[in-house]
Amino acid sequence: MEVVSTIDQVRERIKQWGNEGKTIGFVPTMGYLHEGHGSLIQKAGENDKVVVSIFVNPMQFGPNEDLANYPRDFEKDKIYCESLGVDLIFHPDPKEMYSERFCTYVDMSILTEELCGKSRPVHFRGVCTVVSKLFHIVQPDRAYFGQKDAQQLAIIKQMVEDLNIDVEVIGCPIIRERDGLAKSSRNTYLNKEERVAALVLSQAVKIGEELVLNGEKDATLIKETMIAKIESEPLAKIDYVKIVDGLTMQPVERIEKTVLAALAVYIGKTRLIDNFIFEI
Amino acid sequence: MEVVSTIDQVRERIKQWGNEGKTIGFVPTMGYLHEGHGSLIQKAGENDKVVVSIFVNPMQFGPNEDLANYPRDFEKDKIYCESLGVDLIFHPDPKEMYSERFCTYVDMSILTEELCGKSRPVHFRGVCTVVSKLFHIVQPDRAYFGQKDAQQLAIIKQMVEDLNIDVEVIGCPIIRERDGLAKSSRNTYLNKEERVAALVLSQAVKIGEELVLNGEKDATLIKETMIAKIESEPLAKIDYVKIVDGLTMQPVERIEKTVLAALAVYIGKTRLIDNFIFEI
């Protein structure tokens, strides 16, 4: 496994692989890798070569968000990647990614306006910009994103379609702890009591999903049942609970096509997300 | 020469050329080709294959601009491209480029805020978005742009650098009519009287350039001399005359590094542009 920190180094390796006719699978991450990332990396093994980027992207953090405190452990990440057969880690410095004269942004309307986009107004501009940069640097055949960040996945798919980027975007299922909590680097922020309280997210998701699977079509009723569950937990504070069109991320009233039921909840000071997709 | 109208058709040909190890030169245009475009196409001949796109991009026209009236003559353009040895023309319909669900934009700050960006606020967002799409579709090794659209050239270079797009952007000199008027598809809007009046643009450029070449460092003095020349022409109405930093497009007071002296002038209802670069 090779670890590089400059764009030129990635380009050199990528060109070589291109000349050898190798396919490239790419997993962009912010590091502090867990089994959720691991599942993406394993899936990316369907390509000849696997590239993982580890970059805590300043542009996708708002001014009052957790950029400085975002958990980092590059040595552990390296060992984990090695164990999963990763071929190349790209671990750039922010200065390598954003020059002093940087002033270009990839922006999106509609899909970014609900859910996390509402609570985190600059977030998806940062995500789109950095992912488009990473796609240009790594030039993968396929890129892998977790369904846990469902809105991000929908946005990346839309960006790739709109800008005609020549990459296949593949979404992978949410990986959960044994008790149901969706794996997330931010789970590390939780103290013991909060860790127990955080179960309310996956429990609310499960309740909502069961209602839908049993044929319930009324989005408001489903949402309110999920909200009631979350509100039963004193440490939980709802940011949003929403049921939206799976493509446009716009709220729906009835379950009539593919929908995303998504929630963001503060457990203490930690903001966690979870969701389910119901495909029609 | 092949003429295609769908993205899939371009991709198919590009992949084939890629497998054959061919290099690709790309000239994006809005059609109604003149010798200015011709010089770009000839320069692109330094690659194994030359692709020209002909697409009047709705996104770069403001609501009160000349989208509907923009001159088009695809049959003539085809003959001209054929005569210059073009390998592939990509001539898409707006629906092929912008689906109903389209909502992604490539945007830029700083460089877009002066000169044409001030008079045409949505223009460069449209340019950046369509050029980034075309780069993803055609995947050229080199792309050719005219120095006549100096701000556009600077913006495309900045976009490619910021987003790490794997293409070399090459600027080519302004091509002029015998009497000095910079070649432009919009020259066709001019009546006989206006055609004569339009000479004031290149004359003002020449006056400014000579001052700089003779060592004048005071940007205001140079600008005012150029303005006085233009104002001597009754049919001319100045949109802007500015001297800016060649990289950032921000106004300068002294000629101390590479500068762009650029002007936009209405001749009757037709808005024309011209400029010179002074490299230090």
Side-chain angles (χ1 to χ4, degrees):
Chain A
M1 186 181 73
E2 194 176 2
V3 179
V4 303
S5 59
T6 72
I7 293 165
D8 285 347
Q9 288 170 307
V10 180
R11 283 211 197 286
E12 194 188 341
R13 189 61 61 243
I14 293 299
K15 292 241 153 116
Q16 181 205 326
W17 289 342
N19 293 336
E20 294 169 359
K22 306 287 192 201
T23 57
I24 296 170
F26 177 44
V27 183
T29 81
M30 298 213 299
Y32 214 75
L33 305 178
H34 51 65
E35 291 85 343
H37 302 105
S39 73
L40 304 179
I41 294 170
Q42 278 169 322
K43 177 85 172 130
E46 64 186 329
N47 303 277
D48 297 324
K49 299 288 179 184
V50 176
V51 179
V52 172
S53 65
I54 296 182
F55 178 58
V56 182
N57 174 35
M59 203 197 280
Q60 71 194 63
F61 287 80
N64 299 314
E65 291 182 359
D66 56 347
L67 172 61
N69 298 324
Y70 195 84
R72 292 160 169 91
D73 190 341
F74 185 58
E75 289 310 310
K76 206 174 143 199
D77 289 346
K78 233 164 47 180
I79 293 165
Y80 188 50
C81 284
E82 180 98 60
S83 78
L84 292 170
V86 168
D87 296 282
L88 180 70
I89 295 181
F90 177 44
H91 180 54
D93 192 88
K95 280 183 189 160
E96 177 72 6
M97 293 294 278
Y98 300 110
S99 77
E100 265 179 45
R101 297 209 301 119
F102 190 95
C103 58
T104 308
Y105 303 91
V106 181
D107 226 327
M108 191 179 293
S109 59
I110 307 172
L111 280 77
T112 59
E113 287 157 13
E114 291 286 340
L115 311 177
C116 290
K118 216 164 196 165
S119 331
R120 308 182 68 187
V122 300
H123 177 63
F124 287 118
R125 186 171 88 160
V127 169
C128 286
T129 304
V130 81
V131 170
S132 116
K133 283 170 67 67
L134 289 167
F135 282 173
H136 293 137
I137 294 166
V138 177
Q139 299 178 26
D141 297 275
R142 296 178 194 86
Y144 301 81
F145 293 85
Q147 185 60 53
K148 202 205 96 199
D149 300 301
Q151 188 178 15
Q152 170 177 282
L153 175 58
I155 285 170
I156 300 292
K157 281 185 172 171
Q158 183 75 35
M159 175 183 84
V160 162
E161 188 183 316
D162 283 353
L163 296 185
N164 312 104
I165 302 177
D166 194 11
V167 59
E168 186 184 348
V169 174
I170 295 169
C172 302
I174 298 176
I175 305 295
R176 299 182 178 280
E177 304 288 350
R178 282 203 175 181
D179 60 5
L181 179 67
K183 300 235 181 204
S184 165
S185 308
R186 289 189 171 95
N187 292 349
T188 190
Y189 296 149
L190 303 169
N191 66 29
K192 266 195 181 169
E193 202 187 354
E194 289 168 345
R195 176 63 185 77
V196 176
L199 285 180
V200 77
L201 280 91
S202 53
Q203 286 164 352
V205 162
K206 204 169 174 191
I207 288 169
E209 195 166 14
E210 273 168 9
L211 278 172
V212 177
L213 290 173
N214 289 332
E216 182 56 57
K217 300 285 176 207
D218 181 344
T220 308
L221 187 146
I222 300 162
K223 228 168 56 184
E224 280 172 0
T225 314
M226 293 168 72
I227 289 172
K229 174 69 199 172
I230 299 167
E231 285 179 341
S232 74
E233 169 52 59
L235 289 180
K237 196 177 143 260
I238 292 174
D239 178 6
Y240 65 77
V241 177
K242 279 196 181 156
I243 301 183
V244 299
D245 180 294
L247 281 178
T248 65
M249 303 286 116
Q250 298 303 300
V252 297
E253 296 192 352
R254 309 259 324 149
I255 313 299
E256 280 161 349
K257 42 187 172 176
T258 296
V259 294
L260 165 68
L263 46 86
V265 176
Y266 285 93
I267 303 293
K269 287 184 173 176
T270 305
R271 186 175 174 281
L272 300 175
I273 58 177
D274 203 340
N275 69 77
F276 71 90
I277 296 255
F278 181 68
E279 292 194 20
I280 296 186
Chain B
M1 186 180 72
E2 193 176 4
V3 179
V4 302
S5 59
T6 71
I7 293 164
D8 285 346
Q9 287 170 308
V10 180
R11 284 210 197 285
E12 194 187 342
R13 189 61 61 242
I14 294 299
K15 292 240 152 117
Q16 182 206 325
W17 290 342
N19 292 336
E20 294 169 359
K22 307 287 192 201
T23 58
I24 296 170
F26 177 45
V27 182
T29 83
M30 298 212 298
Y32 214 76
L33 303 179
H34 50 67
E35 290 86 342
H37 302 104
S39 74
L40 304 180
I41 294 170
Q42 278 168 323
K43 177 84 173 131
E46 64 186 330
N47 302 278
D48 298 324
K49 298 288 179 184
V50 176
V51 179
V52 172
S53 65
I54 296 182
F55 178 58
V56 182
N57 174 35
M59 203 198 280
Q60 71 192 65
F61 288 81
N64 299 314
E65 292 182 358
D66 56 348
L67 172 61
N69 298 324
Y70 194 84
R72 293 160 170 90
D73 190 341
F74 185 59
E75 289 310 312
K76 206 173 146 200
D77 289 346
K78 234 163 46 179
I79 293 164
Y80 188 50
C81 283
E82 181 97 59
S83 79
L84 292 170
V86 168
D87 296 281
L88 179 69
I89 294 181
F90 176 43
H91 181 53
D93 192 89
K95 280 184 191 161
E96 177 72 7
M97 293 294 276
Y98 300 109
S99 76
E100 264 180 45
R101 298 209 301 119
F102 190 95
C103 58
T104 308
Y105 303 91
V106 181
D107 225 325
M108 193 180 292
S109 60
I110 307 173
L111 280 78
T112 59
E113 287 157 14
E114 290 285 342
L115 311 177
C116 290
K118 217 164 196 164
S119 330
R120 308 183 69 189
V122 301
H123 176 64
F124 287 117
R125 187 171 86 159
V127 170
C128 286
T129 304
V130 81
V131 170
S132 116
K133 283 171 66 69
L134 289 167
F135 282 174
H136 293 138
I137 294 167
V138 177
Q139 299 179 25
D141 296 276
R142 296 179 194 85
Y144 301 82
F145 294 85
Q147 184 61 54
K148 203 204 96 199
D149 300 302
Q151 187 178 15
Q152 170 177 281
L153 175 58
I155 285 171
I156 301 293
K157 281 185 173 171
Q158 183 74 36
M159 175 182 83
V160 162
E161 188 184 315
D162 283 354
L163 297 185
N164 312 103
I165 302 178
D166 195 11
V167 58
E168 187 184 349
V169 175
I170 295 168
C172 301
I174 298 177
I175 305 296
R176 298 181 178 281
E177 304 289 350
R178 282 200 176 183
D179 60 7
L181 179 66
K183 300 234 181 205
S184 165
S185 308
R186 289 190 171 93
N187 291 349
T188 190
Y189 296 149
L190 303 168
N191 66 28
K192 266 194 181 170
E193 202 187 353
E194 290 169 343
R195 176 63 185 78
V196 176
L199 284 179
V200 78
L201 279 92
S202 53
Q203 287 164 352
V205 162
K206 205 171 173 191
I207 288 170
E209 195 165 16
E210 274 167 9
L211 279 172
V212 177
L213 290 172
N214 288 333
E216 181 55 59
K217 300 285 177 208
D218 182 344
T220 306
L221 187 146
I222 300 163
K223 229 168 55 183
E224 280 173 0
T225 313
M226 293 168 72
I227 289 171
K229 174 69 198 169
I230 298 166
E231 286 179 341
S232 73
E233 169 51 59
L235 289 180
K237 196 177 144 261
I238 292 175
D239 179 5
Y240 65 77
V241 177
K242 280 198 180 154
I243 302 183
V244 298
D245 180 295
L247 281 178
T248 66
M249 304 286 116
Q250 298 303 300
V252 298
E253 296 192 354
R254 309 264 317 153
I255 313 298
E256 282 161 346
K257 41 186 172 176
T258 297
V259 294
L260 165 70
L263 47 85
V265 176
Y266 284 92
I267 303 294
K269 287 185 174 177
T270 304
R271 186 174 174 281
L272 299 175
I273 59 177
D274 204 341
N275 69 78
F276 71 91
I277 296 255
F278 181 68
E279 292 195 20
I280 297 185

